[in-house]
Amino acid sequence: MHLATLIRTKESDLKRVNHSSSRAREIANEQEAIGMPELDFSCRILLLGKSGVGKSATINSIFGQAKTTTGAFQPATNRIQEVVGNVNGLNITFIDTPGFLPSSTNNMKRNRRIMLSIRRFIRKSPPDIVLYFERLDFINAGYVDFPLLKLVTEVFGTAIWFNTIVVMTHSSSAIPEGPDGYTMNYESYISHCTNIIQQHIQQAVFDSRLENPVLLVENHSQCPKNIMGEKILPNGQVWRSQLLFFCICTKVLGDVNSLLKFQNSVELGPSSSTRIPSMPHLLSSLLRHHPISNLSGTDDEIEEILLYDNEEDENDQLPPIRVLTKSQFEMLSEPLKKDYLDEMDYRETLFLKKQLKEDYRKRKEKLLSTEQKFLNSDNPDDQQAPPEPVLLPDMAVPPCFDSDCHGHRYRCLVSDDQWLVRPVLDPQGWDHDAGFDGINLEATTEIKKNVYASVVGQMNKNKQDFSIQSECAAAYVDPWGPTYSMGVDVQSTGKDYMCTVRSNTKLKNIKHNIADCGISLTSLAKRYYVGAKLEDTVFVGKRLKFVLNAGRMEGAGQMAYGGSFEANLRGEDYPVRDDNVSLTMTVLSFNKEMVLSGSLRSEFRLSRTSRASISGNLNSRKMGQVCIKISSSDNLQIASVAFFSILKFLSRRKPTRNVVKEVTD
């Protein structure tokens, strides 16, 4: 309380604060030593819970005498009453209330009447602490008191849970068996029950941040006692002193909150005000590369690589090779097998390169012929022949008990002149029968000559939440000049929507160089954020690429700016084989704090059937991570991974069973 007073007076001198706090402790020790009058400390405690959980019995156990009547087979408290007493020099007032009935449709009206009468009773003199009672032996996987907790929140408000302590009675009852048939450990069982009731309270207030303290109580007359005559729990704790200690701490914290006026700074329940977006996140989204979808299939980076590659096609100069059957291949020796596979892999790479060049050449010829026809045609709006429909791959379907796969029910054809709409599978969603909780939509079309538009979005809807994410973009692509694009991104954040309008201009005036500049405007909860960026990409040969960008984001009284430098080295067979090594250096400044970070990422082939990806990053805050991923199509390697996973699971399970046996013994 003294420290809170110093904070209230805005005391900034740390030495004076420590000296004042030490002096307050010395005065308290002196007063206790000379036997001064007891501290006038009082506490009002409200008791809530169902009938028969032990509210009145707990009051008698705390005072050490029968202050209230109790009943084993019928409710003992039928009206609201105050029980006043003194415990170890503390003046405590318990507000004993009638118990609630189990959750059901018929009992909800009676429970509401009891709660309304309690609310009227405590209106003049609110309690400092609320004790919510529940029987430990009644909490299991089928715990169904969520409607009662929700009714308590509705009648008393979410603020009642700030100073609430959950009390579990009958804490010395027999512990049930676990899923494996062994008796559970006492601490594990308590933790399991605590998680269940806390999750129900969090769902009742719609806030996962709330964590109420949980105390264990045993009021039975045969409860074990220590040498001081105090009742103890199976874990050896003295529950009476612990409960009083928690009540005193909660009372003091409540007084501190009143002194510092913190009550209204935090509110439980779903957030009514939208969270302010992170400026570094908006800046990184602005600097992120947004690809432009077009029907011509051209790509700037691949185009730069093909411009360098003017050598003659090696695939046509190779001598013919005989393709072996499986039986013939098995008859070869190991060195010959390796040489044969290396030769086939080399020829495959050359063939894919040749095919890529031919596709690029055909697209260029088609583009030139289209331009020539457009100039010579009297009617520029002549329709071309529709493209051939393409069969989409089979989509993932919900699990079912049928022996046959029903993927054929969802097969469809798609062409360039129609929307691609597919359902989104969510196996963990609320609708287990259908399993589809959303819709994914994609479309790309050519509005006019060299003007393209694309729409990509996904919508999810369940019984409680609705979310949408979409990216709409339009671009003018000049094959021999600049590219202008504009996009609108919409994303749901809670009950609001964040909308971003962005515009980019890409210039290719200099050979082997691509310059990009862009601006963006983001709107969320009547707040606006404006950003701008500059980016330049330089190609050195076919394999080396340098990217340098810088940007700034400002809005809502905040500002963030940063940039990055990336060096990317591709493999010899890029883009046929996507082997590359990239080094990135990033700088970010926000709220007068600068953070430097660096990352290294590499992707390469380990063998013909496996690939590896290694990435790591580290920043000036001494935080970082390392990630290693290995993928393989070899059945033997996949089986070995599964074998080691099962072996690791069994090695963990065995020591757990031994510990459980030792506890039961």
Side-chain angles (χ1 to χ4, degrees):
M1 293 291 292
H2 180 70
L3 181 60
T5 306
L6 294 176
I7 297 175
R8 179 80 181 273
T9 57
K10 299 182 179 180
E11 179 62 60
S12 60
D13 191 350
L14 184 60
K15 294 183 178 180
R16 293 183 59 184
V17 170
N18 294 334
H19 177 73
S20 301
S21 301
S22 302
R23 180 57 182 164
R25 293 190 182 94
E26 292 176 1
I27 295 175
N29 293 331
E30 292 174 0
Q31 291 179 354
E32 291 180 1
I34 62 178
M36 289 190 66
E38 297 178 352
L39 182 66
D40 186 14
F41 188 89
S42 60
C43 185
R44 291 177 59 84
I45 303 175
L46 174 64
L47 278 64
L48 298 177
K50 291 185 295 185
S51 298
V53 295
K55 299 187 296 295
S56 301
T58 302
I59 295 176
N60 296 336
S61 298
I62 291 176
F63 286 117
Q65 54 181 318
K67 288 276 190 176
T68 60
T69 58
T70 59
F73 302 102
Q74 59 182 0
T77 305
N78 51 16
R79 62 183 180 86
I80 303 175
Q81 59 180 351
E82 291 187 353
V83 182
V84 183
N86 188 282
V87 180
N88 297 338
L90 304 177
N91 298 320
I92 299 179
T93 301
F94 286 101
I95 305 176
D96 197 8
T97 60
F100 307 132
L101 296 180
S103 301
S104 66
T105 305
N106 299 329
N107 296 334
M108 292 300 288
K109 293 183 178 180
R110 182 182 183 278
N111 290 337
R112 182 181 291 272
R113 287 197 301 268
I114 295 175
M115 294 181 191
L116 292 176
S117 62
I118 297 173
R119 190 178 68 178
R120 289 192 297 267
F121 185 86
I122 65 176
R123 184 172 298 171
K124 295 182 180 179
S125 182
D128 301 312
I129 305 162
V130 178
L131 299 181
Y132 186 84
F133 285 77
E134 189 61 75
R135 288 187 57 162
L136 180 64
D137 52 345
F138 283 3
I139 300 177
N140 49 36
Y143 184 72
V144 291
D145 273 349
F146 173 72
L148 181 60
L149 297 173
K150 190 174 182 180
L151 183 61
V152 172
T153 306
E154 179 183 345
V155 174
F156 295 99
T158 57
I160 193 175
W161 297 106
F162 269 119
N163 296 330
T164 298
I165 300 174
V166 179
V167 179
M168 294 185 182
T169 58
H170 296 262
S171 298
S172 296
S173 304
I175 302 176
E177 294 181 351
D180 55 357
Y182 294 95
T183 303
M184 296 181 63
N185 187 11
Y186 184 77
E187 298 295 340
S188 301
Y189 178 63
I190 297 300
S191 177
H192 172 70
C193 296
T194 300
N195 292 334
I196 290 178
I197 193 169
Q198 283 187 347
Q199 288 177 4
H200 281 74
I201 294 176
Q202 291 172 358
Q203 293 176 5
V205 299
F206 295 102
D207 198 324
S208 59
R209 299 172 298 173
L210 179 65
E211 289 189 7
N212 297 95
V214 177
L215 296 177
L216 305 178
V217 170
E218 180 55 68
N219 297 310
H220 198 277
S221 58
Q222 301 298 324
C223 178
K225 300 180 181 180
N226 58 9
I227 57 176
M228 304 294 294
E230 298 173 322
K231 294 181 179 180
I232 60 176
L233 300 173
N235 57 2
Q237 292 183 354
V238 180
W239 67 264
R240 181 174 175 271
S241 59
Q242 190 177 17
L243 189 145
L244 292 174
F245 178 71
F246 265 77
C247 291
I248 294 172
C249 292
T250 306
K251 162 69 174 177
V252 173
L253 290 176
D255 293 341
V256 171
N257 288 340
S258 301
L259 185 62
L260 298 179
K261 298 182 179 180
F262 282 162
Q263 293 94 332
N264 298 328
S265 61
V266 180
E267 295 182 359
L268 293 176
S271 178
S272 57
S273 60
T274 306
R275 185 180 62 179
I276 299 177
S278 171
M279 295 294 289
H281 172 73
L282 294 178
L283 180 60
S284 63
S285 178
L286 173 65
L287 297 177
R288 180 172 57 90
H289 177 67
H290 296 272
I292 301 174
S293 300
N294 57 76
L295 299 178
S296 64
T298 58
D299 186 89
D300 295 330
E301 295 188 5
I302 297 179
E303 181 179 355
E304 290 291 336
I305 295 174
L306 295 178
L307 288 176
Y308 277 106
D309 197 359
N310 295 324
E311 301 175 358
E312 290 189 18
D313 195 350
E314 299 180 12
N315 187 57
D316 297 335
Q317 301 177 2
L318 293 176
I321 186 174
R322 178 185 176 186
V323 180
L324 302 180
T325 63
K326 185 177 181 180
S327 58
Q328 293 174 341
F329 178 77
E330 295 296 336
M331 296 175 60
L332 298 177
S333 61
E334 291 299 328
L336 290 179
K337 287 182 180 180
K338 183 179 181 302
D339 294 340
Y340 177 78
L341 293 176
D342 291 340
E343 180 66 21
M344 295 299 294
D345 186 66
Y346 176 69
R347 289 173 177 265
E348 180 186 10
T349 302
L350 293 180
F351 175 76
L352 292 176
K353 284 185 178 181
K354 177 183 177 182
Q355 192 175 28
L356 184 63
K357 292 179 182 179
E358 291 180 353
D359 291 342
Y360 178 75
R361 179 179 54 81
K362 290 180 180 179
R363 285 196 299 266
K364 286 294 183 182
E365 292 178 355
K366 182 179 179 181
L367 183 61
L368 293 174
S369 62
T370 303
E371 289 183 353
Q372 189 66 28
K373 290 180 181 179
F374 180 79
L375 295 174
N376 299 331
S377 176
D378 296 333
N379 185 12
D381 296 330
D382 291 341
Q383 298 292 331
Q384 298 180 355
E388 296 183 0
V390 179
L391 178 64
L392 289 177
D394 289 346
M395 61 181 296
V397 296
C400 63
F401 293 99
D402 297 338
S403 58
D404 298 331
C405 178
H406 301 285
H408 62 277
R409 298 181 180 179
Y410 304 97
R411 290 174 183 164
C412 59
L413 298 175
V414 63
S415 60
D416 291 340
D417 59 347
Q418 65 178 183
W419 297 75
L420 174 59
V421 182
R422 307 198 79 187
V424 178
L425 175 64
D426 184 9
Q428 306 298 328
W430 62 271
D431 194 349
H432 297 284
D433 296 332
F436 298 114
D437 284 348
I439 296 176
N440 182 274
L441 182 144
E442 297 180 15
T444 302
T445 182
E446 184 176 6
I447 302 176
K448 293 178 64 177
K449 181 178 179 294
N450 295 335
V451 179
Y452 305 93
S454 64
V455 177
V456 178
Q458 180 172 319
M459 181 187 68
N460 294 84
K461 177 71 173 71
N462 55 28
K463 291 184 177 180
Q464 295 180 350
D465 302 323
F466 171 80
S467 64
I468 183 173
Q469 294 181 352
S470 66
E471 294 185 5
C472 306
Y476 170 77
V477 181
D478 187 352
W480 319 109
T483 299
Y484 306 98
S485 64
M486 177 173 289
V488 178
D489 302 339
V490 178
Q491 180 179 0
S492 58
T493 58
K495 295 183 179 180
D496 293 326
Y497 294 92
M498 183 171 66
C499 180
T500 301
V501 180
R502 49 184 170 80
S503 176
N504 284 74
T505 301
K506 185 179 294 186
L507 304 175
K508 296 186 292 184
N509 297 331
I510 305 176
K511 189 177 181 181
H512 310 316
N513 181 275
I514 299 176
D516 190 0
C517 62
I519 58 174
S520 70
L521 174 63
T522 302
S523 172
L524 176 63
K526 298 181 179 180
R527 293 185 176 92
Y528 298 93
Y529 306 88
V530 181
K533 75 166 184 177
L534 292 174
E535 182 176 304
D536 189 68
T537 304
V538 179
F539 297 91
V540 180
K542 296 188 299 182
R543 302 177 56 186
L544 190 58
K545 180 183 73 169
F546 296 101
V547 180
L548 177 65
N549 60 24
R552 172 173 173 170
M553 181 68 65
E554 185 175 357
Q558 297 179 332
M559 182 183 66
Y561 58 89
S564 65
F565 173 76
E566 178 186 357
N568 193 314
L569 179 63
R570 283 81 168 269
E572 295 181 355
D573 300 328
Y574 184 86
V576 176
R577 309 294 184 191
D578 193 13
D579 297 345
N580 63 86
V581 178
S582 63
L583 175 65
T584 306
M585 304 298 296
T586 305
V587 58
L588 174 65
S589 177
F590 178 62
N591 285 340
K592 298 181 180 180
E593 183 180 1
M594 183 173 294
V595 178
L596 302 176
S597 62
S599 63
L600 180 65
R601 184 170 178 267
S602 175
E603 294 184 9
F604 53 91
R605 295 177 65 189
L606 294 175
S607 63
R608 297 180 185 88
T609 59
S610 60
R611 288 186 59 85
S613 174
I614 302 176
S615 62
N617 59 70
L618 182 67
N619 58 27
S620 57
R621 293 183 176 179
K622 298 181 180 180
M623 296 186 297
Q625 66 175 1
V626 176
C627 180
I628 301 176
K629 295 181 181 180
I630 299 177
S631 59
S632 174
S633 60
D634 192 346
N635 296 332
L636 181 60
Q637 295 180 4
I638 297 175
S640 63
V641 173
F643 172 76
F644 284 113
S645 300
I646 296 174
L647 184 63
K648 186 175 182 180
F649 171 76
L650 294 177
S651 63
R652 284 183 176 181
R653 190 175 182 182
K654 186 175 180 180
T656 304
R657 289 188 173 183
N658 295 335
V659 171
V660 173
K661 289 182 179 180
E662 292 176 2
V663 172
T664 55
D665 293 341

